[in-house]
Amino acid sequence: MSKEQYLHIIGWAEEKTLRKKFLCRFNQFLPVLLAGIYMVCLVLCFFVYPVFLIRLIIRPALCFLIVTVLRYILKFPRPYDVYGFVPICGYHPGKNRSFPSRHAASAAIIALEIFHLWSGLGIFLIILALFIGALRILCGNHFVKDVLAAYVIAFLFNIL
């Protein structure tokens, strides 16, 4: 997205205080919701499908680790650092850790792994992961390429 597109979205969000609060709350709440569901799934998996528990832990952990290392090595700037604006929420200037999105990668790998065990819940979590990625872009924390790369990495970890 261009600077003008980000500024347009920020302007739209800031027109109404409730709209901005809604976006920020969802940007914070959805990852917490997904993490909570993941924890419940880990407990259920321990009792119902103990053989899959290692996979349900190791793949998301490795994906998180690889994404974190990539971010550290690449040091891509965030949109608000490149374009010089204050994002809707989650402002940490100068961090230079945008690519790939850790929120999007973690959400996607967890959703894909759970899909293998419980497809109905997995579909819900995949939709949730897509919303998390979209919010990371709309709130100005990530570029589209950051989120798409995160989804690709999560998908690759899922099929390995």
Side-chain angles (χ1 to χ4, degrees):
M1 288 181 22
S2 68
K3 180 178 182 176
E4 291 75 27
Q5 290 169 316
Y6 280 112
L7 291 175
H8 178 75
I9 291 169
I10 290 167
W12 172 81
E14 290 181 345
E15 276 179 16
K16 308 253 184 204
T17 307
L18 186 61
R19 193 180 295 161
K20 182 178 178 178
K21 282 183 183 180
F22 178 80
L23 284 172
C24 286
R25 294 288 184 245
F26 266 110
N27 193 36
Q28 294 168 338
F29 173 72
L30 292 183
V32 172
L33 174 64
L34 189 125
I37 293 170
Y38 177 54
M39 293 300 148
V40 169
C41 287
L42 287 174
V43 171
L44 287 174
C45 189
F46 177 78
F47 292 109
V48 179
Y49 303 112
V51 72
F52 292 111
L53 187 60
I54 297 299
R55 174 184 171 152
L56 197 57
I57 294 170
I58 295 295
R59 287 185 182 194
L62 286 175
C63 183
F64 182 86
L65 178 67
I66 293 298
V67 167
T68 301
V69 168
L70 279 173
R71 288 162 55 102
Y72 182 77
I73 292 169
L74 298 174
K75 295 182 178 158
F76 282 27
R78 292 182 179 268
Y80 53 76
D81 287 328
V82 171
Y83 297 135
F85 64 83
V86 176
I88 295 170
C89 47
Y91 185 49
H92 306 285
K95 252 177 97 173
N96 289 333
R97 302 279 194 274
S98 183
F99 181 86
S101 169
R102 214 170 18 204
H103 279 87
S106 297
I109 189 66
I110 290 168
L112 291 168
E113 289 299 324
I114 290 174
F115 179 80
H116 290 293
L117 298 174
W118 299 289
S119 60
L121 179 60
I123 290 170
F124 171 73
L125 293 179
I126 289 168
I127 293 168
L128 196 65
L130 293 172
F131 274 115
I132 289 170
L135 281 169
R136 302 303 293 165
I137 297 164
L138 290 175
C139 289
N141 299 106
H142 286 285
F143 290 105
V144 174
K145 67 179 167 88
D146 303 338
V147 171
L148 292 178
Y151 290 152
V152 168
I153 291 168
F155 179 76
L156 292 174
F157 266 92
N158 182 254
I159 61 173
L160 293 177

